[in-house]
Amino acid sequence: MINNILKGIQAYTGALALISKLKLWKYFLVPIIISVITAAVIALSAYGLSDNIGNFIARIWPWDFGKDTFTWISTFIGAIVVISIGLILYKHIIMALSAPFMSPVSEKIESYLTGVERHNHRKTSFNEQLWRGIRINIRNLAKELLITIPLLLLKFIPVVNIFSTILLIMLQAYYAGFGNMDYTLERHFNYRDSVKFIRKNRGIAIGNGLVFILFLIIPFIGVILVLPMSVTAATIKTVELLQKDNLLNNTKPVV
């Protein structure tokens, strides 16, 4: 698992150069706009809601002594809750809406890596790609929230909250990598087989997603580069895995 996580991370090293070499930046324009707008809306909402959630939690402390301290802690926890849920919503929104734009990028990268110009794979339209992106991300959103909420509750328990934070980051990373890998898998697998493939290679997904999350820490630049870099890195590793398992059905090599 750890080895695969590292492989998922290492794939980012050649991502920027490959984007420039294949002249892919134009394909990222709309997804970048979606990313910036979504991030701005969620950030503003998080700023306004953290205090409200903190004050709501603070009401459970009935005594006057320690009230200020408990309120501060509650506000901090409220901020973590809002940021965690905000990140979940952010990544699933941009991944779902960017699917029709990321699929052509993934295909061009696959052509370059495999030396195959014309692919013998599932043909999907813009609407079909959008619908698959929405379907997968709604599924992942529901599953992620179902696991995230109990993990957030564990933050009230000293020491245990350290482990819950690690698990929370790993969970966020897995589903981020999941979405990035599916841009390639949608050409080769149906919905169920794509899910099985990513479960089998969850370490790669986590590695890709960890860097995805780290990008979001970088002010402004992060939300601009996160999709181009993470999708390119995910495509590189996903194509490699497909080739390793002899699962690519490509024809007509590039002359």
Side-chain angles (χ1 to χ4, degrees), residues 21-243:
K21 183 175 184 177
L22 300 182
K23 300 178 180 179
L24 299 175
W25 287 111
K26 59 185 177 182
Y27 295 97
F28 293 112
L29 179 59
V30 174
I32 286 174
I33 293 173
I34 293 171
S35 177
V36 171
I37 293 174
T38 304
V41 171
I42 290 176
L44 290 172
S45 300
Y47 180 78
L49 287 174
S50 59
D51 285 342
N52 294 333
I53 293 176
N55 291 330
F56 176 79
I57 296 173
R59 292 177 186 174
I60 66 175
W61 188 267
W63 306 281
D64 291 331
F65 71 91
K67 185 72 173 179
D68 291 339
T69 301
F70 188 78
T71 300
W72 182 87
I73 294 172
S74 298
T75 301
F76 178 73
I77 292 174
I80 292 176
V81 170
V82 171
I83 290 171
S84 298
I85 294 177
L87 280 174
I88 293 171
L89 293 174
Y90 166 79
K91 70 172 180 281
H92 290 300
I93 289 171
I94 64 168
M95 285 182 175
L97 298 182
S98 298
F101 305 97
M102 294 297 94
S103 291
V105 168
S106 175
E107 186 170 350
K108 288 182 179 295
I109 294 173
E110 183 179 324
S111 294
Y112 172 78
L113 295 175
T114 61
V116 176
E117 184 177 20
R118 296 185 181 179
H119 301 259
N120 179 24
H121 53 57
R122 300 171 67 247
K123 300 296 181 182
T124 53
S125 65
F126 181 96
N127 289 336
E128 288 172 330
Q129 290 165 0
L130 179 60
W131 169 240
R132 175 171 169 133
I134 292 172
R135 182 186 176 192
I136 279 226
N137 281 281
I138 288 177
R139 169 210 179 264
N140 288 352
L141 174 62
K143 282 180 168 279
E144 192 170 354
L145 285 175
L146 190 64
I147 303 172
T148 296
I149 292 173
L151 289 176
L152 288 174
L153 294 176
L154 291 176
K155 291 193 170 298
F156 290 98
I157 305 175
V159 180
V160 174
N161 57 14
I162 297 174
F163 296 100
S164 69
T165 299
I166 295 172
L167 290 174
L168 195 60
I169 293 172
M170 297 292 280
L171 180 69
Q172 291 253 9
Y174 172 70
Y175 283 110
F178 190 121
N180 289 326
M181 292 176 71
D182 191 64
Y183 294 134
T184 299
L185 296 176
E186 69 92 14
R187 293 191 299 279
H188 302 285
F189 296 147
N190 59 29
Y191 176 85
R192 290 182 179 275
D193 290 338
S194 182
V195 172
K196 290 178 182 178
F197 182 88
I198 295 173
R199 282 177 180 168
K200 177 183 174 183
N201 298 285
R202 61 172 59 90
I204 299 294
I206 292 172
N208 179 271
L210 283 173
V211 182
F212 180 100
I213 292 171
L214 289 175
F215 263 108
L216 298 181
I217 298 174
I218 306 172
F220 191 67
I221 298 298
V223 297
I224 292 177
L225 292 179
V226 65
L227 268 179
M229 294 292 287
S230 61
V231 171
T232 301
T235 302
I236 291 171
K237 290 308 299 181
T238 304
V239 170
E240 181 183 310
L241 291 169
L242 290 170
Q243 287 180 313

